[in-house]
Amino acid sequence: MADRSSYGERADIAYHETFLLHGRLRWMKVAIILNVAAIATFWWANAPAGFRLQHSGGTPLGYTLGTIGALIMVWLTMIGIRKRAMTSGHWSLKAWVSAHVYLGLSLIVLVTLHTGFNFGWNIHTLAYALMWAVIVSGIVGVFGYVYLPVRLSDVRGDMTKRQMLEIIRSLDGRISDAAQPLDRSQAAAVQLSLDKTILVGGLFQRLTGLYFGCGNRRAIRRLRRMRRKASDAQGAVLDRIAGMLARKQEMLKKVRRYVRVRTYLEAWLYVHVPMTFALLAALTAHIVSVFFFL
Amino acid sequence: MSFTIHRVTQRAHGGEPIQRSKRVEGDVASIGRGTDCDIQLPDLTIGLHHADMRITGRGEVAVEALGDYTFEAHGTVVRRAKFRVADRPKLVFASYLLAFGPETTQDEVAVTVTHASDGGEIADQSSERKVFSLAPNAFGLRRAAWLLGLLVLAIGLAVPVAFHFLNLNASSVAPQEQWSPGPLSQGHSFLQHNCEACHAKAFHAILDAACLACHQNKPGAKASTAIAVRVLGMGSLFPPDPAQDHAAQNLLSRATGGAGVFEHPAVANLSNFMNRPGQRCISCHTDHVGNDGHRMAATQATTAETLTTDCTSCHAALKSRLPDTAVLDVVDWGQHPDFRLLMASLVARGRPNFDRDSMTDGPFDKGLKFSHRTHLSPTGDVAREALENSKPVAPDGRLSCSACHQPDMEGRGFLPIEMTKDCSACHSLRIRGIDGRPDTLPHGDIAKAIAKMRSINNVDGDTGLRTTRLRPGTSEETSTDQSLTSMTSTVTRKIRALFTNAGATKGLCYGCHAFVAPKDPDSVEFKVVRVQLTNRYLPRSGFDHSVPAHLLNANGKPGCVQCHATNSSESLSNVIIPGISQCKLCHGNATAPWGEAAASNCTECHGYHNTGDPPAREIYERPWRLPPGL
């Protein structure tokens, strides 16, 4: 396989293997071995002493765990550089992401043992909390990458992103054309759909799917009330417009569902990356401070 | 008169705009959304018939909105406007712009209609990205990351370091505190905002000098006061306790040497290299963990480490590292050597002197004729006298231990035995005084007792001592010495009888004390054999009498004699301190009658800085009481 891949063919042509299952869970095994070894050593070092864990981060074992944890953290951040360079085989990006995920998860055990379960309102616990923020956002990201891309194409169906937007735009034009004979208040209602429609909204709306006050919905409701009082000629126009507003609503739902999935796929990074930087800074402050005030 | 209306439409994909013109005859033209209007503006915010424009004169036009419709002229919202065409005015109707201008003939007015927001393309590349991707809508990921990282670095690192090096320690803000891994112990809490008090030098571990700056042992009165003043000035509520070291520093470093990987010399060297040498005060006294890590009182008593491993890491094979040591090796409680009494003499004011480390076998207590067996017999004179003198008695009728042994103020042992307090109730020093009235001999000074005897007997008329006046400048003693020679044989006989085993007073003093008799049969120069009573036989252990279980016998009933074999103690030299086997009946014995082994940790009996002050011991504030019946 490796030979074939070196000639530029896909090494994994026979099947698709996700980064989670890469190399028969090689990195998961590495992480588990690392954690079991850490727990065993921790037990061996502390059990005879009755687990007196105050300042256990400053014991030789504590330094060892801390150093390993810090090195792993620094390596994990290298994925930001690594993903922009192309390699293959054992050091393919997939292998790298697999290691990133499993070694990142192994930090939960390594670093928690390093803390000796001592927490407080200080820079040290801040670093620990930031680590959790990075890991949890990373877990969200992993779940997103595993489950969401399928849903993404499901939602979109056989339409392209541009097609979805074009349909809404052309509906807007047709609604506007159709509404020309309407009187002032009816026209104002239709205008709500044209002006006040919230296509996908901000981050909150993208994530929650809550679009209260969307102009299209308000236009639909308002026209429904007006329809009862309208004359026959106006009623025919209003019915046509209502039909188009309903179709626009359907298309809006589709776009929003799609965008919601896309947002989930991207939003975790907005926690993961800044928190990683904050973590590296807090880690630096943690390391310097413990040696500054030995 | 007429209007010429030019309609300009932008092409959908750019290029030359399309212009269509039409002529409206007459001096009035209508503006609105309706198809019947002369200028039709297909915008839903515009009324079906929104406004009329009218040529009012040569080159003059008036525009008037119908109903409550409005439009914009000269940047303001108006309902009517009148203007000269030559000024080329522009009117805004919702999204449409109407530009007026003169046409070729003076009677004609040109109106150019353009749509303001033409050419908008929702589905262009940038808006598509904006709709579907989060990035253009959220904060810049990279900038946010860098900002957050630099912020943490500045607040968490740069500011505290700056405060340290700029010596801004006295300010009300202490950014270094965010480095503190936890609260200081109660005793050190006044230093919470004063990191540099202990962390004197950056990147150097706290050395013992920093601790001893306050906790110096035996500093001397002057230095002690200076330290107290300084520490109280720093905000402490009490002066620091001087710390006595467990052993000399060189002995400590020679005696240590663990077995584990982390005690390996390579690790020790690494520790030194990292400016963290071992065998420092803070090797044990880890602060910043509240009161948990500060090994002062019972707080550490529950962990096995301090209790056994810490001590035995040196003491299990101490002899091999310190061949000259007098201390025996102790591997564990099971192999703890039996007790060796460290005798101390009662030298002054009832305070035992422990300076001598003699570890020899007895006899220890000297100078008194005393038998515990006789005193604690349920029958006989002592028991009878105890009842007569209403002294406390045990249920079996014997004299209670508490009749003589008084609990001390520290709540651990007993006050030193004092004759006047503990013996005199029965061992009365009463004698017949002047005129047969009862009198008491003073205790503790032979000369005074002899003087008392002389004065009583002189008044009786047996001697002429009283007639001898003291001359100015002469002391009573010298006069007594002089008078001794003139004493009658009766007085001498009475006095001698006090110190010997025969005579009228039945050897009042002799009953308990041993004396060295003078060679001259007429002399009363008796010398008492010095009484030597040890108050604490095992000063390097902190046995606590007040522990309730320590006062019970095997049946759970109060019983001192459970441990102290009083029945076999015929004389004072027969020390009735129990051996370690007595302790092992409960401590570390899982098969004890009550089914549970009492603790057998080192710190149950021993302390580190003061071996006789075990950390497991409770801190007492009141004297303890012996329960009745002991």
Side-chain angles (χ1 to χ4, degrees), chain A residues 17-230:
Chain A
E17 181 192 50
T18 69
F19 59 87
L20 289 179
L21 301 174
H22 169 81
R24 298 185 177 188
L25 299 171
R26 177 186 300 126
W27 288 104
M28 189 170 105
K29 289 171 194 160
V30 170
I32 287 174
I33 288 169
L34 201 59
N35 282 351
V36 169
I39 292 171
T41 317
F42 187 80
W43 198 273
W44 172 74
N46 288 300
F51 292 101
R52 198 183 64 191
L53 297 176
Q54 294 111 354
H55 294 280
S56 78
T59 60
L61 174 63
Y63 280 143
T64 310
L65 288 170
T67 308
I68 294 173
L71 288 177
I72 289 179
M73 282 183 198
V74 171
W75 180 82
L76 292 174
T77 55
M78 303 303 268
I79 199 169
I81 299 164
R82 169 64 188 81
K83 71 176 183 182
R84 293 173 174 85
M86 295 274 233
T87 49
S88 63
H90 284 321
W91 303 105
S92 67
L93 187 55
K94 191 192 282 176
W96 194 288
V97 173
S98 186
H100 181 91
V101 168
Y102 288 117
L103 291 181
L105 287 173
S106 77
L107 286 177
I108 294 175
V109 171
L110 293 178
V111 176
T112 304
L113 292 180
H114 172 67
T115 66
F117 307 97
N118 300 304
F119 307 109
W121 296 104
N122 50 50
I123 189 82
H124 320 291
T125 303
L126 173 71
Y128 183 72
L130 287 171
M131 183 197 78
W132 269 104
V134 173
I135 291 176
V136 169
S137 61
I139 291 172
V140 171
V142 167
F143 273 101
Y145 278 17
V146 169
Y147 292 111
L148 294 183
V150 181
R151 284 191 54 201
L152 210 52
S153 48
D154 285 351
V155 167
R156 201 153 45 87
D158 50 2
M159 263 184 277
T160 66
K161 288 181 281 182
R162 178 174 290 214
Q163 277 171 340
M164 290 193 285
L165 291 189
E166 289 283 8
I167 286 171
I168 291 173
R169 178 177 140 73
S170 77
L171 275 172
D172 272 355
R174 285 164 60 195
I175 289 166
S176 179
D177 289 347
Q180 295 307 324
L182 295 181
D183 70 21
R184 190 180 181 189
S185 61
Q186 291 164 338
V190 175
Q191 191 68 24
L192 280 175
S193 170
L194 300 183
D195 286 352
K196 305 285 183 189
T197 292
I198 304 169
L199 186 56
V200 287
L203 183 63
F204 177 77
Q205 285 165 318
R206 283 166 188 246
L207 285 175
T208 57
L210 297 174
Y211 291 90
F212 300 119
C214 168
N216 199 53
R217 287 260 293 278
R218 284 162 66 196
I220 290 172
R221 277 199 297 268
R222 209 179 276 189
L223 283 189
R224 200 174 290 153
R225 282 200 299 274
M226 288 171 170
R227 175 69 184 84
R228 288 177 224 136
K229 292 177 256 171

Side-chain angles (χ1 to χ4, degrees), chain B residues 552-567:
Chain B
L552 301 177
N553 65 15
N555 302 320
K557 295 269 162 51
C560 304
V561 296
Q562 165 76 14
C563 299
H564 296 284
T566 49
N567 255 342

Side-chain angles (χ1 to χ4, degrees), chain B residues 187-415:
Chain B
H188 284 159
S189 58
F190 69 99
L191 296 171
Q192 189 75 38
H193 308 301
N194 189 359
C195 309
E196 279 77 6
C198 302
H199 300 279
K201 205 172 170 191
F203 299 107
H204 279 78
I206 298 171
L207 296 176
D208 289 357
C211 308
L212 294 175
C214 298
H215 295 282
Q216 189 185 343
N217 189 34
K218 293 178 184 165
K222 205 173 165 188
S224 171
T225 311
I227 289 173
V229 167
R230 183 163 53 83
V231 172
L232 295 175
M234 289 163 92
S236 176
L237 295 175
F238 39 81
D241 287 331
Q244 178 180 318
D245 217 345
H246 184 68
Q249 192 69 40
N250 66 326
L251 289 181
L252 280 178
S253 52
R254 274 171 60 205
T256 44
V261 174
F262 298 134
E263 281 80 31
H264 192 270
V267 175
N269 289 338
L270 185 67
S271 287
N272 286 334
F273 174 73
M274 303 280 274
N275 282 326
R276 291 196 67 161
Q279 287 302 320
R280 288 171 297 148
C281 300
I282 67 161
S283 304
C284 297
H285 293 278
T286 46
D287 214 320
H288 285 291
V289 286
N291 282 329
D292 288 352
H294 202 64
R295 298 185 194 178
M296 281 180 67
T299 47
Q300 284 292 310
T302 47
T303 56
E305 179 202 37
T306 8
L307 314 177
T308 309
T309 323
D310 269 6
C311 306
T312 54
S313 64
C314 292
H315 282 273
L318 195 62
K319 209 86 178 169
S320 62
R321 298 196 200 95
L322 296 173
D324 51 338
T325 184
V327 180
L328 299 176
D329 286 352
V330 185
V331 179
D332 56 21
W333 170 241
Q335 298 172 59
H336 192 292
D338 206 350
F339 301 145
R340 293 183 299 167
L341 306 182
L342 182 63
M343 303 312 297
S345 52
L346 203 65
V347 286
R349 280 179 289 168
R351 293 179 68 84
N353 181 7
F354 293 124
D355 282 346
R356 287 179 301 141
D357 259 10
S358 59
M359 281 208 189
T360 51
D361 294 325
F364 304 105
D365 294 345
K366 287 176 262 186
L368 271 188
K369 294 165 187 152
F370 180 83
S371 162
H372 268 106
R373 182 178 175 173
T374 310
H375 275 81
L376 295 176
S377 166
T379 55
D381 288 351
V382 179
R384 181 175 48 77
E385 271 192 70
L387 277 176
E388 283 174 7
N389 292 318
S390 54
K391 287 299 234 179
V393 289
D396 60 356
R398 65 167 171 80
L399 181 66
S400 169
C401 300
S402 61
C404 307
H405 294 285
Q406 309 295 331
D408 67 3
M409 298 299 283
E410 292 174 14
R412 171 168 46 199
F414 295 90
L415 294 169

